[in-house]
Amino acid sequence: VQLVESGGGLVQTGGSLRLSCKASGTIFSIFSMGWYRQAPGKQRELVATITSFASTNYADSVKGRFTISRDNAKNTMYLQMNNLKPEDTAVYYCYLGGPQTSWGQGTQVTVSS
């Protein structure tokens, strides 16, 4: 299983970014997926999850600002991030559940104040 993330970058406070996570080598649609993030000097934090039935869950810190979605036909998961804040600065990792959890390589999101 391979997960490739894209869409990170530098944005000002209040801006938006959309992260993508494309999967290959697995039956994408049957597994739950999600996003974690890790800021410098901090533990990895769960941001959002989405089940195979598209049921979603969010960390309190991103509720109302972030939206997780998936397109099973494209084997791709997304994280739309709006109203970004400096505290959202982190490396964002996607994961795919299953018999063995798979991880992407991470994409840097930097929000300037």
Side-chain angles (χ1 to χ4, degrees), residues 1-9 19-24 33-38 44 77 90-96 101-109:
V1 177
Q2 185 177 19
L3 301 177
V4 179
E5 296 140 340
S6 60
L19 306 183
S20 299
C21 175
K22 185 170 178 61
S24 59
M33 298 187 71
W35 294 90
Y36 276 79
R37 67 186 181 187
Q38 188 166 20
R44 192 170 289 195
M77 175 181 65
V91 178
Y92 285 70
Y93 300 90
C94 67
Y95 77 90
L96 183 145
T101 301
S102 299
W103 292 92
Q105 81 285 0
T107 186
Q108 176 70 46
V109 171

Side-chain angles (χ1 to χ4, degrees), residues 40-110:
K42 294 187 177 181
Q43 289 189 330
R44 192 170 289 195
E45 171 191 25
L46 180 63
V47 176
T49 62
I50 185 166
T51 70
S52 59
F53 298 103
S55 176
T56 59
N57 193 34
Y58 298 92
D60 288 342
S61 58
V62 306
K63 280 181 181 176
R65 300 188 298 122
F66 290 12
T67 302
I68 189 171
S69 62
R70 64 193 297 164
D71 185 337
N72 290 337
K74 295 182 178 180
N75 278 15
T76 303
M77 175 181 65
Y78 304 97
L79 185 68
Q80 178 66 44
M81 306 185 294
N82 297 328
N83 190 22
L84 283 161
K85 304 175 180 180
E87 51 263 44
D88 295 317
T89 295
V91 178
Y92 285 70
Y93 300 90
C94 67
Y95 77 90
L96 183 145
Q100 187 171 1
T101 301
S102 299
W103 292 92
Q105 81 285 0
T107 186
Q108 176 70 46
V109 171
T110 302

